[in-house]
Coordinates of all heavy atoms in Angstrom, one line a residue:
M1 N 96.4 185.1 -59.3 CA 96.5 185.6 -58.0 C 97.8 186.4 -57.8 O 98.8 186.0 -58.3 CB 96.5 184.4 -57.0 CG 96.8 184.8 -55.6 SD 97.0 183.3 -54.6 CE 96.2 183.8 -53.2
I2 N 97.6 187.5 -57.2 CA 98.8 188.4 -56.9 C 99.4 188.1 -55.6 O 98.7 188.0 -54.6 CB 98.4 189.9 -57.1 CG1 97.9 190.2 -58.5 CG2 99.6 190.8 -56.7 CD1 97.4 191.6 -58.7
R3 N 100.7 188.0 -55.5 CA 101.4 187.7 -54.3 C 102.4 188.9 -54.0 O 102.9 189.5 -54.9 CB 102.2 186.4 -54.3 CG 101.4 185.2 -54.7 CD 102.3 184.0 -54.9 NE 103.5 184.2 -55.8 CZ 103.5 184.2 -57.1 NH1 102.4 184.1 -57.8 NH2 104.7 184.3 -57.7
I4 N 102.7 189.1 -52.7 CA 103.7 190.1 -52.4 C 104.8 189.3 -51.8 O 104.7 188.5 -50.9 CB 103.2 191.1 -51.3 CG1 102.0 191.9 -51.9 CG2 104.3 192.0 -50.9 CD1 101.3 192.8 -50.9
E5 N 106.0 189.5 -52.4 CA 107.2 188.7 -52.0 C 108.4 189.6 -51.7 O 108.5 190.7 -52.3 CB 107.6 187.7 -53.1 CG 106.5 186.7 -53.4 CD 106.9 185.8 -54.6 OE1 108.0 186.0 -55.2 OE2 106.2 184.8 -54.9
P6 N 109.3 189.2 -50.9 CA 110.5 190.0 -50.7 C 111.3 190.0 -52.0 O 111.4 189.0 -52.7 CB 111.3 189.2 -49.6 CG 110.3 188.3 -49.0 CD 109.3 188.0 -50.0
C7 N 112.0 191.1 -52.2 CA 112.8 191.2 -53.4 C 114.2 190.6 -53.1 O 114.7 190.6 -52.0 CB 113.1 192.7 -53.7 SG 111.7 193.6 -54.3
N8 N 114.7 190.0 -54.2 CA 116.1 189.5 -54.1 C 117.0 190.5 -54.8 O 116.6 191.5 -55.3 CB 116.2 188.1 -54.6 CG 115.9 188.0 -56.1 OD1 116.2 188.9 -56.9 ND2 115.2 187.0 -56.5
E9 N 118.3 190.2 -54.8 CA 119.3 191.1 -55.4 C 119.0 191.4 -56.8 O 119.2 192.5 -57.3 CB 120.7 190.5 -55.2 CG 121.8 191.5 -55.4 CD 121.8 192.6 -54.4 OE1 121.5 192.4 -53.3 OE2 122.1 193.8 -54.9
N10 N 118.6 190.4 -57.6 CA 118.3 190.6 -59.0 C 117.1 191.5 -59.2 O 117.1 192.4 -60.1 CB 118.0 189.3 -59.8 CG 119.3 188.5 -59.9 OD1 120.4 189.0 -60.0 ND2 119.1 187.2 -60.0
D11 N 116.1 191.4 -58.3 CA 114.9 192.2 -58.4 C 115.3 193.7 -58.1 O 114.8 194.6 -58.7 CB 113.9 191.8 -57.3 CG 113.3 190.4 -57.6 OD1 113.2 190.0 -58.7 OD2 112.9 189.8 -56.6
Y12 N 116.2 193.8 -57.1 CA 116.6 195.2 -56.7 C 117.3 195.9 -57.8 O 117.1 197.1 -58.1 CB 117.4 195.2 -55.4 CG 117.6 196.6 -54.9 CD1 116.5 197.2 -54.3 CD2 118.8 197.3 -55.0 CE1 116.6 198.5 -53.9 CE2 118.9 198.6 -54.5 CZ 117.8 199.2 -54.0 OH 117.9 200.5 -53.5
Q13 N 118.2 195.2 -58.5 CA 118.9 195.8 -59.7 C 117.8 196.2 -60.7 O 118.0 197.3 -61.3 CB 119.9 194.8 -60.3 CG 120.7 195.4 -61.4 CD 121.5 196.6 -61.1 OE1 122.0 196.7 -60.0 NE2 121.5 197.6 -61.9
T14 N 116.8 195.4 -61.0 CA 115.8 195.8 -61.9 C 115.0 197.0 -61.5 O 114.7 197.9 -62.3 CB 114.8 194.6 -62.1 OG1 115.5 193.5 -62.6 CG2 113.7 194.9 -63.1
L15 N 114.7 197.1 -60.2 CA 114.0 198.3 -59.6 C 114.8 199.5 -59.8 O 114.3 200.6 -60.2 CB 113.7 198.1 -58.2 CG 112.6 197.0 -57.8 CD1 112.6 196.8 -56.3 CD2 111.3 197.4 -58.4
V16 N 116.1 199.4 -59.6 CA 117.0 200.6 -59.8 C 117.0 201.0 -61.3 O 116.9 202.2 -61.6 CB 118.4 200.3 -59.3 CG1 119.4 201.4 -59.7 CG2 118.4 200.2 -57.7
E17 N 117.1 200.1 -62.2 CA 117.0 200.4 -63.6 C 115.7 201.0 -64.0 O 115.7 202.0 -64.8 CB 117.3 199.1 -64.4 CG 118.7 198.6 -64.3 CD 118.8 197.2 -64.9 OE1 117.9 196.7 -65.5 OE2 119.9 196.6 -64.7
I18 N 114.6 200.6 -63.5 CA 113.3 201.2 -63.8 C 113.3 202.6 -63.2 O 112.8 203.5 -63.8 CB 112.1 200.3 -63.2 CG1 112.0 199.0 -64.0 CG2 110.8 201.1 -63.2 CD1 111.1 198.0 -63.3
W19 N 113.8 202.7 -62.0 CA 113.8 204.1 -61.3 C 114.6 205.0 -62.2 O 114.1 206.1 -62.5 CB 114.5 204.0 -59.9 CG 114.8 205.3 -59.4 CD1 113.9 206.2 -58.7 CD2 116.0 206.1 -59.6 NE1 114.5 207.4 -58.4 CE2 115.8 207.3 -59.0 CE3 117.2 205.8 -60.2 CZ2 116.8 208.3 -58.9 CZ3 118.2 206.7 -60.1 CH2 118.0 208.0 -59.5
E20 N 115.8 204.6 -62.7 CA 116.6 205.5 -63.5 C 116.0 205.9 -64.8 O 116.0 207.0 -65.2 CB 118.0 204.8 -63.7 CG 118.9 205.8 -64.4 CD 120.3 205.2 -64.6 OE1 120.7 204.2 -63.9 OE2 121.1 205.8 -65.4
R21 N 115.4 204.9 -65.5 CA 114.7 205.2 -66.7 C 113.5 206.2 -66.5 O 113.3 207.2 -67.3 CB 114.1 204.0 -67.4 CG 115.2 203.1 -68.1 CD 114.7 202.1 -69.0 NE 113.7 201.2 -68.4 CZ 113.9 200.0 -67.9 NH1 115.1 199.5 -67.9 NH2 112.9 199.3 -67.3
S22 N 112.8 206.0 -65.4 CA 111.7 206.9 -65.1 C 112.1 208.3 -64.8 O 111.6 209.3 -65.2 CB 110.9 206.4 -63.9 OG 110.4 205.1 -64.2
V23 N 113.2 208.4 -64.0 CA 113.8 209.7 -63.6 C 114.3 210.4 -64.9 O 114.0 211.6 -65.1 CB 114.9 209.6 -62.6 CG1 115.7 210.9 -62.4 CG2 114.3 209.2 -61.2
R24 N 115.0 209.7 -65.7 CA 115.5 210.4 -66.9 C 114.4 210.9 -67.8 O 114.5 211.9 -68.5 CB 116.4 209.4 -67.7 CG 117.7 209.2 -67.0 CD 118.6 208.3 -67.8 NE 119.9 208.0 -67.1 CZ 120.9 208.8 -67.0 NH1 120.8 210.0 -67.5 NH2 122.0 208.5 -66.3
A25 N 113.2 210.2 -67.8 CA 112.1 210.6 -68.7 C 111.3 211.7 -68.1 O 110.6 212.4 -68.9 CB 111.2 209.4 -68.9
T26 N 111.4 211.9 -66.8 CA 110.5 212.9 -66.2 C 111.1 214.0 -65.4 O 110.5 215.0 -65.0 CB 109.5 212.2 -65.2 OG1 110.2 211.5 -64.2 CG2 108.6 211.2 -66.0
H27 N 112.4 213.9 -65.1 CA 113.1 214.9 -64.3 C 114.2 215.6 -65.0 O 115.4 215.4 -64.7 CB 113.6 214.2 -63.0 CG 112.6 213.8 -62.1 ND1 111.7 212.8 -62.4 CD2 112.3 214.2 -60.8 CE1 110.9 212.6 -61.4 NE2 111.2 213.4 -60.4
S28 N 113.9 216.3 -66.0 CA 114.9 217.0 -66.9 C 115.8 218.0 -66.1 O 116.8 218.4 -66.6 CB 114.3 217.6 -68.1 OG 113.3 218.6 -67.7
F29 N 115.3 218.4 -65.0 CA 116.0 219.4 -64.2 C 117.2 218.8 -63.4 O 118.1 219.5 -63.0 CB 115.1 220.1 -63.2 CG 114.4 219.2 -62.3 CD1 115.0 218.8 -61.1 CD2 113.2 218.6 -62.6 CE1 114.3 217.9 -60.2 CE2 112.5 217.8 -61.8 CZ 113.1 217.4 -60.6
L30 N 117.3 217.5 -63.4 CA 118.4 216.8 -62.7 C 119.6 216.7 -63.6 O 119.4 216.4 -64.8 CB 118.0 215.4 -62.2 CG 117.0 215.4 -61.1 CD1 116.6 213.9 -60.8 CD2 117.6 216.0 -59.8
T31 N 120.8 216.9 -63.1 CA 122.0 216.7 -63.9 C 122.4 215.3 -63.9 O 121.9 214.5 -63.1 CB 123.2 217.6 -63.4 OG1 123.5 217.0 -62.1 CG2 122.8 219.0 -63.3
E32 N 123.3 214.9 -64.8 CA 123.8 213.5 -64.8 C 124.4 213.2 -63.5 O 124.2 212.1 -63.0 CB 124.8 213.4 -66.0 CG 125.4 212.0 -66.1 CD 124.3 211.0 -66.6 OE1 123.3 211.4 -67.2 OE2 124.6 209.8 -66.4
K33 N 125.1 214.1 -62.9 CA 125.8 213.9 -61.6 C 124.7 213.6 -60.5 O 124.8 212.8 -59.7 CB 126.7 215.0 -61.2 CG 127.3 214.8 -59.9 CD 128.3 215.9 -59.5 CE 129.0 215.8 -58.2 NZ 128.4 215.0 -57.2
D34 N 123.6 214.4 -60.6 CA 122.5 214.2 -59.6 C 122.0 212.8 -59.7 O 121.8 212.1 -58.7 CB 121.4 215.2 -59.9 CG 121.7 216.7 -59.6 OD1 122.6 216.9 -58.8 OD2 121.0 217.5 -60.2
I35 N 121.7 212.4 -60.9 CA 121.1 211.0 -61.1 C 122.1 210.0 -60.6 O 121.7 209.0 -59.9 CB 120.8 210.8 -62.6 CG1 119.6 211.8 -63.0 CG2 120.4 209.4 -62.9 CD1 119.3 211.8 -64.5
M36 N 123.4 210.1 -61.0 CA 124.4 209.1 -60.6 C 124.5 209.1 -59.0 O 124.7 208.0 -58.4 CB 125.7 209.3 -61.2 CG 125.7 209.0 -62.7 SD 125.4 207.3 -63.1 CE 123.7 207.3 -63.6
D37 N 124.5 210.3 -58.4 CA 124.6 210.4 -56.9 C 123.4 209.7 -56.3 O 123.6 208.9 -55.3 CB 124.7 211.8 -56.5 CG 126.0 212.5 -56.8 OD1 127.0 211.7 -57.2 OD2 126.1 213.7 -56.7
I38 N 122.2 209.9 -56.8 CA 121.0 209.3 -56.2 C 121.0 207.8 -56.4 O 120.7 207.0 -55.5 CB 119.7 210.0 -56.7 CG1 119.7 211.5 -56.4 CG2 118.5 209.2 -56.3 CD1 118.6 212.2 -57.1
R39 N 121.4 207.4 -57.6 CA 121.5 206.0 -58.0 C 122.5 205.3 -57.0 O 122.1 204.2 -56.5 CB 122.0 205.8 -59.4 CG 121.9 204.4 -59.9 CD 122.4 204.4 -61.4 NE 122.0 203.2 -62.0 CZ 122.7 202.0 -61.9 NH1 123.7 201.9 -61.1 NH2 122.3 200.9 -62.5
E40 N 123.6 205.8 -56.8 CA 124.6 205.2 -55.9 C 124.1 205.1 -54.5 O 124.3 204.2 -53.8 CB 125.9 206.0 -55.9 CG 126.8 205.7 -57.1 CD 127.1 204.2 -57.2 OE1 127.5 203.6 -56.3 OE2 126.9 203.7 -58.3
S41 N 123.3 206.2 -54.1 CA 122.7 206.2 -52.7 C 121.7 205.0 -52.6 O 121.6 204.3 -51.6 CB 122.0 207.5 -52.5 OG 121.4 207.5 -51.2
L42 N 120.9 204.8 -53.7 CA 119.9 203.8 -53.7 C 120.6 202.4 -53.6 O 120.2 201.5 -52.8 CB 119.1 203.8 -55.0 CG 118.1 204.9 -55.1 CD1 117.5 204.9 -56.5 CD2 117.0 204.8 -54.0
I43 N 121.7 202.2 -54.3 CA 122.4 201.0 -54.4 C 123.1 200.7 -53.0 O 123.0 199.6 -52.5 CB 123.4 200.9 -55.5 CG1 122.6 200.9 -56.8 CG2 124.3 199.7 -55.4 CD1 123.5 201.1 -58.1
S44 N 123.7 201.7 -52.4 CA 124.4 201.5 -51.2 C 123.4 201.2 -50.0 O 123.8 200.6 -49.0 CB 125.2 202.7 -50.9 OG 124.4 203.9 -50.5
K45 N 122.2 201.7 -50.1 CA 121.2 201.5 -49.0 C 120.5 200.1 -49.2 O 119.7 199.7 -48.4 CB 120.2 202.6 -49.0 CG 120.8 203.9 -48.4 CD 119.8 205.0 -48.4 CE 120.2 206.3 -47.9 NZ 121.5 206.6 -47.7
S46 N 120.7 199.5 -50.3 CA 120.0 198.2 -50.7 C 119.9 197.2 -49.5 O 118.9 196.7 -49.2 CB 120.7 197.6 -51.9 OG 120.3 196.3 -52.1
P47 N 121.0 196.9 -48.9 CA 121.0 195.8 -47.8 C 120.2 196.3 -46.6 O 119.6 195.4 -45.9 CB 122.4 195.5 -47.5 CG 123.2 196.2 -48.5 CD 122.4 197.2 -49.1
S48 N 120.1 197.5 -46.3 CA 119.5 198.0 -45.1 C 118.0 198.3 -45.2 O 117.4 198.6 -44.2 CB 120.3 199.3 -44.6 OG 120.1 200.3 -45.5
H49 N 117.5 198.2 -46.3 CA 116.0 198.4 -46.5 C 115.3 197.2 -47.1 O 115.8 196.7 -48.1 CB 115.8 199.6 -47.4 CG 116.2 200.9 -46.9 ND1 117.5 201.4 -47.0 CD2 115.5 201.8 -46.1 CE1 117.6 202.6 -46.4 NE2 116.4 202.8 -45.8
K50 N 114.3 196.7 -46.4 CA 113.6 195.6 -46.9 C 112.7 196.0 -48.1 O 112.0 197.0 -47.9 CB 112.7 195.0 -45.8 CG 112.1 193.7 -46.1 CD 112.8 192.6 -45.4 CE 112.1 191.3 -45.5 NZ 112.9 190.3 -45.8
K51 N 112.7 195.3 -49.2 CA 111.9 195.7 -50.3 C 111.0 194.5 -50.7 O 111.4 193.4 -50.5 CB 112.8 196.1 -51.5 CG 113.4 197.4 -51.3 CD 114.7 197.5 -52.0 CE 115.9 196.8 -51.5 NZ 116.3 197.1 -50.2
F52 N 109.8 194.8 -51.2 CA 108.9 193.8 -51.6 C 108.4 194.1 -53.1 O 108.5 195.2 -53.5 CB 107.7 193.8 -50.7 CG 108.0 193.3 -49.3 CD1 108.4 194.3 -48.4 CD2 107.9 192.0 -49.0 CE1 108.7 193.9 -47.1 CE2 108.2 191.6 -47.7 CZ 108.6 192.5 -46.7
S53 N 108.0 193.0 -53.8 CA 107.5 193.2 -55.1 C 106.2 192.4 -55.3 O 105.9 191.5 -54.5 CB 108.5 192.7 -56.1 OG 108.8 191.4 -55.9
F54 N 105.4 192.8 -56.3 CA 104.2 192.1 -56.6 C 104.5 191.1 -57.6 O 105.2 191.3 -58.6 CB 103.1 193.1 -57.2 CG 102.7 194.1 -56.2 CD1 103.3 195.4 -56.1 CD2 101.6 193.8 -55.3 CE1 102.8 196.3 -55.1 CE2 101.2 194.8 -54.4 CZ 101.8 196.0 -54.3
R55 N 103.9 189.9 -57.5 CA 104.1 188.8 -58.4 C 102.7 188.2 -58.8 O 101.8 188.2 -58.0 CB 104.9 187.7 -57.8 CG 106.2 188.1 -57.2 CD 107.2 188.4 -58.4 NE 108.5 188.7 -57.8 CZ 109.4 189.2 -58.5 NH1 109.3 189.5 -59.7 NH2 110.6 189.4 -57.9
G56 N 102.7 187.8 -60.0 CA 101.4 187.2 -60.5 C 100.5 188.2 -61.2 O 100.9 189.4 -61.2
G57 N 99.4 187.8 -61.7 CA 98.5 188.7 -62.3 C 99.2 189.4 -63.5 O 99.7 188.8 -64.4
L58 N 99.3 190.8 -63.4 CA 99.9 191.6 -64.4 C 101.4 191.6 -64.3 O 102.1 192.1 -65.1 CB 99.4 193.0 -64.4 CG 97.9 193.2 -64.6 CD1 97.5 194.7 -64.4 CD2 97.6 192.8 -66.1
F59 N 102.0 191.1 -63.1 CA 103.4 191.1 -62.8 C 104.0 189.7 -62.7 O 104.4 189.4 -61.6 CB 103.6 192.0 -61.6 CG 102.9 193.3 -61.6 CD1 101.7 193.5 -60.9 CD2 103.4 194.3 -62.3 CE1 101.1 194.7 -60.9 CE2 102.8 195.6 -62.4 CZ 101.6 195.7 -61.7
P60 N 103.9 188.9 -63.7 CA 104.5 187.5 -63.5 C 106.0 187.5 -63.2 O 106.6 188.5 -63.7 CB 104.1 186.8 -64.8 CG 104.0 187.9 -65.8 CD 103.5 189.1 -65.0
R61 N 106.4 186.5 -62.6 CA 107.9 186.4 -62.3 C 108.6 185.9 -63.5 O 108.3 185.2 -64.4 CB 108.1 185.5 -61.2 CG 109.6 185.4 -60.8 CD 109.7 184.7 -59.5 NE 110.2 185.7 -58.6 CZ 110.6 185.5 -57.4 NH1 110.5 184.3 -56.9 NH2 111.0 186.5 -56.6

């Protein structure tokens, strides 16, 4: 069974890491500074945006 749950701080760090790996693999036009600026923006907005994750099925906790 798949559940949708609120993300906690550890989940959010994992999401940022996945985002960064994905961007580095697919957005070669971005500079290192661009990536770091966007990453910092994502991290700084963390508390003000509610995030959810899928659990169970293919995405076990």
Side-chain angles (χ1 to χ4, degrees):
M1 174 185 217
I2 296 176
R3 304 174 313 279
I4 299 174
E5 298 178 355
C7 290
N8 63 39
E9 196 62 37
N10 291 335
D11 294 330
Y12 192 69
Q13 182 60 38
T14 300
L15 291 173
V16 170
E17 290 170 7
I18 292 169
W19 169 84
E20 186 174 344
R21 285 194 308 263
S22 299
V23 166
R24 289 183 182 283
T26 61
H27 291 65
S28 58
F29 56 89
L30 292 175
T31 66
E32 182 67 20
K33 182 178 181 333
D34 293 335
I35 294 170
M36 290 296 104
D37 288 347
I38 297 167
R39 187 179 196 282
E40 282 304 310
S41 178
L42 289 171
I43 291 170
S44 70
K45 290 179 179 14
S46 168
S48 64
H49 291 88
K50 190 108 172 133
K51 289 152 283 301
F52 293 88
S53 61
F54 293 94
R55 304 290 186 191
L58 298 174
F59 310 101
R61 184 168 248 188

